[in-house]
Amino acid sequence: MDVSVFGGLFDSSLRLSIPLLAACLAGLWSERSGVVDIGLEGKMLVAAFAAAAAAHASGSAWVGLLAGTGAAVAFALIHGFASISQRGNQIVSGVAINMLAVGLTAIVGNAWYGQGGRTPPLEGAARFDEIFLGHSAPVFLTLLAVPVTWFVLGKTRFGLRLRAVGENPAAVDTAGISVTGLRYAAVIICGVLCGLAGTYLSVGQSAGFLPNMTAGKGFIALAALIFAKWRAWPALFTCFLFGVLDAVAIRLQGVSLPGIGEVPVQAIQALPYLLTVILLAGVIGKAIPPRASGSPYVKER
Amino acid sequence: MSAPIDLPKWADTALVPAVSVVAAFLVAGLVVVGIGESPLTATRLLLQGSLGTGEGLGFTLFYATNFIFTGLAVAVAYHAGLFNIGAEGQATLAGLGTALVLLNFSFLPGFLLIPLGILGAAAFGALWGAIPGYLQAKRGSHIVITTIMFNWLASVLIVYLLVNVLREPTNMNPETRAFPEQSQIPFVHEILAVFGIEVAPSQLNLTFFLALAAAYAIWLLIYRSRLGYAIRTVGSNPTAAVYAGISPARIIVIAMVLSGALAGGLAVNELMGYQHRLLLEFTSGYGFVGIAVALMGRAHPLGIILASLLFGILYQGGAELSFERPAITRDMVVVIGGIIILFAGALEGLFRRIVARVLTPAMRQARA
């Protein structure tokens, strides 16, 4: 394999892994604070739509990012209200968010543009330009989010408290710190990162929004989160690995490998899901989620 | 505020879900207003399209059949304290099971082939439910995550099989050849025509009655049998179940087997009753709407039938509505489903509190 092919593979893997990474880090913040989020997919989708619509209207990709982030944070707050304030079931709320996102983006997109749910194609400044080494700004923002997440969660007082809320909220409460406040902060950060992921999909990677364009990326991000055992640096490596799988699958389409024959693309596509199932079953290592994740905090006993 | 809210039984089983569904429709109405359409006209068109004609009613009941099966699937797991998000994938595999049976045993007469096809669907659906169940029971992997992954695995698998293995070489579409004619479950309008009753043709087939029978059987199982009692005990208090001599692991696997088999009913209705071949994406989100159906119906078979009828009306009426008012696409049904899941599921506590606040003074007055 010569260098240019290899370089091309690296670049496309990186591009494909960015939305996964941003969504994976989003899930990391939420779940580390004890709020399980299977609605990453839905938040990415609304962000992708809002970003494309705003970028089209304003002609600026950055306005798109702002709108995408705003939309994802709004949906994150719905999830937060249901699961933190109302102590509802977090899984149920996540399912609702995903369905709402699929339906709303399609309906509103169709009503606004009448193109079967698509937004008009974006061009010029309405898309993120390549700024460095052939990659656009959201790529670097997402990569930057990895050390920031690692540092803030691991090395600051806020991060320590946030992780404590995900393990033992009663202890944090006893120390006089608001469990609700910390969890809302985590959920909002989760929304911001989902906004980044969705915006990159519609305004960076593609030139506009397509119905259901997340196509399961939010769930692969969830798988990557489990694989990375809820930690920032491993999240980077896992998402890049899943990105490589995706890039290789695209390249191997219809190619016959010597000695193996044609590798079905679906076999490679199935790998992230399969690996996650195997990991969760404890066959290779063990993935243990934050202890209090999924359970609402009830103050008085 | 965390004290359990005591409500009379009728309020708990009927009023709270009703209030949350009404609220969901109000929000959906706002969405309709938001895209510049009239909710009242939309509602009129929706009801006309789904209940106003014999044909519309047939289609409504056809869709309701799908929802009864997926709703029951979610509900059975729910009673065991499990959240099965995998009905979609289980139904996909059930479709594969049906197709394999019907295409390989095409020499059998219909009265043998139809039950075998249904069994094939149930068995494959049950298998796809049993694996996550087993992994939850024995290896402690979270059923929600595993069933999500199994949905994607199912969709990837079915694409591979239909594109590379099961497709007829002459056919460009990823679908199997047609199922043998004697395996097709008869349409209701055909049956009625035999007795001289003319009704407008629709996709409604005899699977509808299978769904009603399944609902009755599940009611018997959950509320009137030993196994059902064990399932409900594991669901409400696994520790107590162990003290009562019930093995939660065994019950979890059994509940997921039942759940997956019920999801298979979707494949029976769609493929054996209507499409008569296996094709991609025939599950088209029914599995997820099943979650809304189960939550709305309070996981009770009667509630599930009522909720399924409502969603059947929405599906069929929504199709007619989008024909008349192109701005209101059928995605509206997905939105309404999402809002109902949010209101009747995640925000249930909020609605209980609202109902309690209104009811408590009234009850006090009645007592005085």
Side-chain angles (χ1 to χ4, degrees):
Chain A
M1 210 182 268
D2 65 272
V3 180
S4 68
V5 169
F6 193 74
L9 188 65
F10 179 86
D11 275 343
S12 57
S13 302
L14 183 63
R15 263 185 217 110
L16 290 166
S17 67
I18 288 301
L20 298 181
L21 179 58
C24 182
L25 291 173
L28 193 152
W29 276 93
S30 182
E31 302 213 345
R32 269 303 179 91
S33 80
V35 180
V36 165
D37 195 349
I38 63 166
L40 299 173
E41 172 91 356
K43 286 197 280 286
M44 272 167 90
L45 195 63
V46 286
F49 176 76
H56 172 71
S58 68
S60 156
W62 290 100
V63 174
L65 178 62
L66 207 64
T69 309
V73 168
F75 269 63
L77 285 175
I78 296 178
H79 185 57
F81 177 70
S83 47
I84 305 169
S85 300
Q86 296 299 325
R87 300 182 209 123
N89 186 316
Q90 301 171 7
I91 304 292
V92 176
S93 168
V95 172
I97 297 277
N98 287 337
M99 278 179 77
L100 271 178
V102 171
L104 277 180
T105 50
I107 285 201
V108 176
N110 199 50
W112 283 358
Y113 305 108
Q115 299 180 7
R118 261 172 297 155
T119 59
L122 303 171
E123 37 193 39
R127 284 191 69 195
F128 280 108
D129 265 336
E130 297 172 357
I131 51 169
F132 186 64
L133 293 173
H135 290 289
S136 58
V139 173
F140 299 102
L141 281 176
T142 305
L143 290 176
L144 189 68
V146 176
V148 169
T149 297
W150 169 78
F151 179 78
V152 174
L153 268 185
K155 308 285 166 199
T156 67
R157 186 150 70 167
F158 170 69
L160 174 71
R161 287 174 173 178
L162 197 132
R163 282 183 293 133
V165 158
E167 301 288 341
N168 190 347
V172 179
D173 197 23
T174 314
I177 304 157
S178 163
V179 174
T180 310
L182 279 167
R183 286 195 169 167
Y184 265 110
V187 162
I188 290 170
I189 296 171
C190 167
V192 170
L193 286 164
C194 281
L196 184 60
T199 304
Y200 179 67
L201 276 181
S202 65
V203 181
Q205 219 172 39
S206 325
F209 176 83
L210 301 168
N212 217 354
M213 77 184 303
T214 42
K217 288 195 172 59
F219 294 108
I220 298 199
L222 206 60
L225 178 61
I226 294 163
F227 228 80
K229 300 183 179 174
W230 294 269
R231 284 170 306 167
W233 289 108
L236 173 68
F237 299 122
T238 312
C239 290
F240 186 71
L241 174 74
F242 287 177
V244 172
L245 285 178
D246 212 358
V248 168
I250 294 167
R251 263 152 221 252
L252 281 186
Q253 217 143 14
V255 178
S256 191
L257 291 182
I260 309 172
E262 201 173 310
V263 180
V265 182
Q266 290 85 9
I268 303 170
Q269 284 173 340
L271 267 181
Y273 308 120
L274 205 59
L275 288 172
T276 306
V277 170
I278 294 170
L279 181 79
L280 273 176
V283 182
I284 42 164
K286 192 94 189 118
I288 300 158
R291 192 136 57 100
S293 73
S295 46
Y297 178 61
V298 184
K299 200 181 174 86
E300 66 269 62
R301 290 262 161 177
Chain B
M1 214 161 76
S2 67
I5 307 156
D6 279 324
L7 285 175
K9 195 163 181 254
W10 62 272
D12 204 28
T13 48
L15 191 59
V16 174
V19 168
S20 49
V21 168
V22 169
F25 277 100
L26 288 180
V27 175
L30 288 180
V31 175
V32 174
V33 173
I35 57 175
E37 293 281 345
S38 150
L40 289 179
T41 318
T43 312
R44 187 172 54 77
L45 288 171
L46 194 122
L47 290 176
Q48 240 165 32
S50 56
L51 302 172
T53 63
E55 189 196 7
L57 185 62
F59 277 92
T60 298
L61 293 179
F62 171 79
Y63 294 126
T65 309
N66 288 339
F67 295 129
I68 293 175
F69 279 122
T70 53
L72 287 174
V74 176
V76 168
Y78 195 77
H79 279 293
L82 302 166
F83 207 7
N84 178 15
I85 310 199
E88 197 80 5
Q90 288 142 20
T92 303
L93 258 280
L96 178 65
T98 306
L100 290 179
V101 168
L102 297 185
L103 295 175
N104 286 314
F105 295 94
S106 53
F107 52 87
L108 287 175
F111 71 90
L112 283 179
L113 195 51
I114 290 179
L116 265 186
I118 296 172
L119 276 182
F124 272 59
L127 174 76
W128 213 244
I131 302 169
Y134 173 83
L135 291 174
Q136 161 89 52
K138 296 285 179 190
R139 313 287 314 185
S141 21
H142 203 299
I143 196 117
V144 169
I145 304 292
T146 327
T147 48
I148 288 175
M149 298 303 147
F150 267 60
N151 279 343
W152 292 99
L153 285 172
S155 78
V156 169
L157 179 70
I158 206 81
V159 170
Y160 172 74
L161 288 177
L162 280 179
V163 171
N164 297 293
V165 184
L166 294 169
R167 182 169 57 97
E168 289 288 286
T170 49
N171 193 343
M172 285 308 288
N173 297 322
E175 56 187 33
T176 61
R177 64 174 191 273
F179 295 160
E181 208 154 309
Q182 76 274 19
S183 76
Q184 301 174 358
I185 295 178
F187 288 112
V188 167
H189 61 86
E190 289 174 352
I191 300 274
L192 288 176
V194 172
F195 296 103
I197 307 167
E198 285 298 318
V199 293
S202 72
Q203 299 172 3
L204 180 65
N205 59 76
L206 291 184
T207 317
F208 176 65
F209 300 100
L210 182 67
L212 294 183
Y216 181 66
I218 292 300
W219 178 79
L220 279 180
L221 175 88
I222 295 288
Y223 297 102
R224 290 288 181 273
S225 82
R226 230 186 137 90
L227 176 63
Y229 184 74
I231 289 178
R232 283 183 291 141
T233 310
V234 169
S236 49
N237 193 337
T239 325
V242 173
Y243 277 107
I246 301 165
S247 151
R250 197 174 133 256
I251 295 299
I252 285 173
V253 175
I254 290 176
M256 282 306 290
V257 163
L258 280 171
S259 184
L262 284 165
L266 168 57
V268 173
N269 188 44
E270 279 286 331
L271 303 183
M272 291 178 69
Y274 165 53
Q275 302 275 7
H276 305 140
R277 67 176 80 86
L278 174 62
L279 66 175
L280 285 182
E281 281 163 19
F282 69 90
T283 54
S284 54
Y286 293 115
F288 295 118
V289 178
I291 299 169
V293 168
L295 286 171
M296 219 178 111
R298 286 312 192 84
H300 188 289
L302 186 63
I304 288 170
I305 292 176
L306 293 176
S308 300
L309 286 176
L310 179 74
F311 271 98
I313 290 172
L314 286 176
Y315 241 65
Q316 166 56 18
E320 295 290 318
L321 175 61
S322 63
F323 195 68
E324 299 269 340
R325 286 276 183 283
I328 311 176
T329 56
R330 261 175 109 178
D331 303 298
M332 199 65 215
V333 183
V334 181
V335 174
I336 295 176
I339 304 174
I340 287 180
I341 294 179
L342 189 67
F343 284 6
L347 292 176
E348 197 211 345
L350 179 68
F351 284 96
R352 283 178 66 92
R353 224 166 295 142
I354 293 170
V355 168
R357 196 164 297 165
V358 176
L359 271 188
T360 318
M363 284 193 303
R364 239 178 248 147
Q365 252 170 10
R367 248 180 262 137

